[in-house]
Amino acid sequence: MKNNKKILGFVALATIIIFLVLACSDSSDDGIEYGPTNYGGTMSFSGEQVWIPKESTRISESLVKFTENRIINPIFILYDFNLPPPYIKSFESVGSGNIVNGILNFTVEEPDVLKLNDSETLFWAFFNVWYGLKAIDIDDKNTKVNNLMIITSEGAIPSEGIVRENLSGTKTSLTGEYVWYLYVDRDCTITASKALYNDSVYIHTYNAFNISLKKGWNTICKSETYNTGGNPTYSIQLKNPYHQWVIQEF
């Protein structure tokens, strides 16, 4: 689970770092274009530019074009709570792709049900605070589900993760937003109530949400907004902004 959180949570870390060094952040993006929120059984992307983080005091200069080549592996993680932490049973390949001169191309197929986790595992892995506070539920508890991860590897060990994300800000707040590609084996609805978590330094606000997923690949957008006091607010929506694909080492 440690590697999984690191892959999916790097936007939050980048957000905090940039927020601390910004004297005046850029204005937030207007007119963002949105794509489909459901891709059915097969999902493909081609001709997508990949970016890499760069140290900067301005959001607009925090990414530069990636120009190298990589073989990439779209995967699912299967968990087994009978194993020692981080409970990872296996990494399951669900597609193929590459990066050529910084341009990403990949396809993921409709996965076998044996490569899917149950909904409770999903809540534990990706909605962990809502789950820990018993603030999340699904209307069909027989739903099988998993979240796409895109990695590069050196041998059998994942070395880099690729996430679609965006940073935007004003003079008083900064938001990191990134997209999950979630596969479900049936139509279902996930609901969560508002939850608060105090870590003794900051108060974390987890907003209520209601997302209706269709069988196949769905796009879930999570945002993390930090105000001048550092207190973050997290939100979940069913939407698909055309954000940048960012590669980062684990």
Side-chain angles (χ1 to χ4, degrees):
M1 189 58 204
K2 180 180 179 182
N3 282 344
N4 190 25
K5 285 181 180 279
K6 194 169 184 181
I7 296 167
L8 296 174
F10 82 84
V11 173
L13 179 59
T15 301
I16 294 171
I17 293 172
I18 294 174
F19 186 75
L20 291 174
V21 299
L22 281 176
C24 178
S25 57
D26 303 299
S27 60
S28 56
D29 291 337
D30 294 321
I32 296 175
E33 295 183 4
Y34 296 90
T37 58
N38 180 271
Y39 287 86
T42 300
M43 182 171 64
S44 296
F45 291 90
S46 61
E48 299 279 349
Q49 176 66 53
V50 178
W51 301 77
I52 191 167
K54 170 190 172 184
E55 289 188 11
S56 174
T57 59
R58 297 191 65 84
I59 295 173
S60 59
E61 300 170 354
S62 63
L63 296 174
V64 295
K65 286 184 177 180
F66 184 72
T67 59
E68 300 178 18
N69 301 326
R70 295 285 192 277
I71 299 298
I72 65 169
N73 189 10
I75 66 167
F76 282 160
I77 295 179
L78 283 180
Y79 294 98
D80 184 345
F81 295 122
N82 293 314
L83 298 173
Y87 312 112
I88 293 175
K89 177 181 177 181
S90 62
F91 295 96
E92 301 289 338
S93 179
V94 293
S96 61
N98 58 35
I99 301 173
V100 178
N101 298 325
I103 303 300
L104 174 67
N105 303 277
F106 73 91
T107 298
V108 288
E109 304 293 342
E110 184 169 10
D112 187 281
V113 68
L114 296 177
K115 295 183 178 181
L116 303 177
N117 293 305
D118 59 33
S119 57
E120 185 172 0
T121 301
L122 171 76
F123 295 159
W124 169 81
F126 297 101
F127 302 99
N128 54 327
V129 174
W130 281 286
Y131 175 67
L133 296 175
K134 302 185 184 304
I136 192 167
D137 200 5
I138 189 169
D139 64 341
D140 187 340
K141 291 179 172 53
N142 293 316
T143 301
K144 299 296 182 182
V145 60
N146 218 324
N147 187 63
L148 182 68
M149 297 177 64
I150 305 173
I151 64 171
T152 69
S153 301
E154 295 178 358
I157 306 301
S159 58
E160 296 165 315
I162 303 170
V163 178
R164 194 164 216 169
E165 58 104 319
N166 183 63
L167 295 175
S168 61
T170 67
K171 292 182 179 180
T172 58
S173 68
L174 194 63
T175 297
E177 191 173 63
Y178 53 103
V179 179
W180 295 344
Y181 294 91
L182 194 72
Y183 182 88
V184 293
D185 70 344
R186 66 197 69 194
D187 294 356
C188 61
T189 299
I190 300 174
T191 57
S193 57
K194 184 175 181 179
L196 298 177
Y197 174 70
N198 190 335
D199 65 5
S200 76
V201 178
Y202 300 111
I203 297 175
H204 301 250
T205 301
Y206 292 80
N207 284 333
F209 65 85
N210 183 305
I211 51 176
S212 295
L213 309 179
K214 298 181 182 297
K215 180 181 178 180
W217 297 96
N218 296 264
T219 60
I220 295 177
C221 187
K222 180 181 181 182
S223 65
E224 305 178 358
T225 298
Y226 297 82
N227 60 27
T228 52
N231 296 307
T233 299
Y234 307 88
S235 298
I236 298 288
Q237 292 180 281
L238 186 68
K239 68 177 185 178
N240 183 16
Y242 287 125
H243 289 334
Q244 292 161 309
W245 292 95
V246 179
I247 186 169
Q248 182 158 311
E249 292 183 1
F250 290 168

